[in-house]
Amino acid sequence: MRAARLIRMVLLLQSRTRMTAAELAGELEVSERTVARDAQALSEAGVPVYAERGRAGGYALVGGYRTGLTGLAPEEAQALFLSGVPGALREMGLGEAASAARLKVSAALAPPVREASRAVNGRFHLDAPAWYTRPEAPGLLAPLAEAVWDDRRVAAAYRRADREVRRELEPYGLVLKAGVWYVCARAEGAGRARVYRVDRFTEVRDLGTRFARDTGFDLARFWRERAEEFARSLLREEVRLRLSPAGARRLPGATDPRAAQEALAAAGWRDGSARWVEDVVLPVESLEVAYEQLLGLGPEAEVVAPPELRDRLREAARRMAGLYG
């Protein structure tokens, strides 16, 4: 375990030049004290790691020291080949480059490890879009991808509701979510990046200048935070429920999972309880959506409020009783 961590620490410093103790601790999932001990161990083993103190300090390798990529295990090679998303790479115009890269990596590996490529391709395939959809790559994805790679400013036209808006954008990254492409970009003069659907762009033009990328921008964290904000922004109404134990277990699958879990926790429900859960306050997108969702729980959920939703479900129960006698 420690040997693998030391190798990873060297590769991190090799790829990022300089990292703080906190950054290394986060990447390696250890304490900063462990990072300091590992750095000392590497130095004693002849790897030129040095530490600089102060606000601008951190750990770095002396004189451009580099280590070769050796000892790649079969399972590591399998993970490497599995990490590619061929369809997404083709849509960004990188299909041939990715294929060439995989061939070069395969050629550099020992024969037993080289089989990882064929083993992975024969066992795993990623099909990201949902069922019953036939997604097509947005026409302007390729120029946006080029701008993302080269940190280039673009002038863009974008459809929003019933109008078209124009912006000068600094595109930071692309995200493929359920078959739909999004670009995370900062508009000129804006302090915060925003999310734009790529298929709504009607024009993308390279402005011929580069922007200074914010080195603290983390695309995965940004997307996760914005996705959570978006999901919460949809939940504009509340309903009050009583739930049977079965209804409590099924609620996260019938409604927004995070909202359901938080509502159940606030009501004091614990999995395995045999009692009905009282006073569950659930955020929902709308009463219309809540009606469709809660109807599926049948007799395992009772709407206490609002009265109009309770009345509507009562009428649905009456009609269903009529159908089944």
Side-chain angles (χ1 to χ4, degrees):
M1 285 289 291
R2 192 188 186 198
R5 190 175 72 240
L6 292 174
I7 293 171
R8 192 170 171 215
M9 184 174 177
V10 173
L11 293 175
L12 282 169
L13 293 175
Q14 185 173 296
S15 63
R16 303 191 192 179
T17 307
R18 181 187 304 275
M19 295 180 69
T20 66
E23 289 171 338
L24 282 167
E27 290 281 355
L28 300 172
E29 299 181 353
V30 295
S31 67
E32 294 186 27
R33 182 173 296 180
T34 299
V35 168
R37 287 198 295 266
D38 286 352
Q40 180 65 30
L42 286 169
S43 181
E44 292 173 356
V47 178
V49 178
Y50 74 96
E52 287 187 355
R53 300 186 181 277
R55 293 183 62 184
Y59 291 91
L61 296 172
V62 177
Y65 173 88
R66 300 190 69 81
T67 182
L69 179 63
T70 58
L72 193 67
E75 61 271 18
E76 294 170 332
Q78 289 168 0
L80 173 65
F81 287 110
L82 185 58
S83 65
V85 186
L89 292 170
R90 282 195 302 272
E91 291 177 4
M92 288 191 293
L94 296 172
E96 292 186 9
S99 177
R102 283 192 292 269
L103 286 173
K104 289 178 181 178
V105 172
S106 293
L109 297 174
V113 181
R114 196 177 303 153
E115 294 300 317
S117 172
R118 282 188 285 273
V120 167
N121 291 336
R123 289 170 172 81
F124 298 98
H125 174 69
L126 177 62
D127 185 9
W131 286 102
Y132 311 117
T133 60
R134 304 187 71 165
E136 295 182 1
L140 294 174
L141 175 61
L144 275 172
E146 291 178 8
V148 167
W149 282 118
D150 294 335
D151 296 337
R152 304 189 74 83
R153 288 187 179 87
V154 297
Y158 183 82
R159 293 193 311 274
R160 178 177 294 170
D162 58 348
R163 62 193 178 96
E164 185 177 78
V165 295
R166 292 185 172 272
R167 296 281 188 273
E168 290 190 6
L169 299 176
E170 298 175 352
Y172 268 71
L174 287 162
V175 175
L176 178 61
K177 170 72 172 178
V180 179
W181 283 98
Y182 299 86
V183 61
C184 304
R186 180 173 290 138
E188 186 180 28
R192 188 185 184 195
R194 296 184 59 182
V195 176
Y196 303 84
R197 275 185 61 144
V198 175
D199 59 6
R200 292 181 182 168
F201 282 92
T202 58
E203 179 186 344
V204 174
R205 179 169 51 85
D206 188 340
L207 291 174
T209 58
R210 287 184 169 170
F211 62 90
R213 175 176 285 267
D214 179 0
T215 56
F217 180 82
D218 184 323
L219 179 60
R221 183 175 62 197
F222 170 81
W223 177 260
R224 183 171 60 251
E225 292 172 352
R226 288 307 305 272
E228 290 176 358
E229 288 177 13
F230 176 72
R232 290 181 182 277
S233 72
L234 295 177
L235 307 179
R236 302 185 181 93
E237 307 223 24
E238 287 184 347
V239 298
R240 196 174 298 273
L241 307 172
R242 288 181 69 245
L243 296 166
S244 72
R249 288 191 295 272
R250 289 168 53 190
L251 187 66
T255 65
D256 180 89
R258 182 185 292 270
Q261 289 162 358
E262 292 177 355
L264 289 168
W269 180 74
R270 295 291 181 273
D271 195 7
S273 171
R275 296 182 178 181
W276 277 66
V277 193
E278 306 288 339
D279 204 28
V280 179
V281 180
L282 177 70
V284 295
E285 184 175 342
S286 67
L287 296 186
E288 181 67 32
V289 171
Y291 170 77
E292 300 288 346
Q293 293 172 334
L294 297 175
L295 193 62
L297 295 180
E300 309 302 334
E302 177 190 358
V303 172
V304 179
E308 57 267 36
L309 180 58
R310 181 179 174 88
D311 291 343
R312 190 172 178 190
L313 285 166
R314 181 190 293 114
E315 174 61 17
R318 185 191 65 78
R319 291 169 53 201
M320 188 170 290
L323 288 174
Y324 290 98

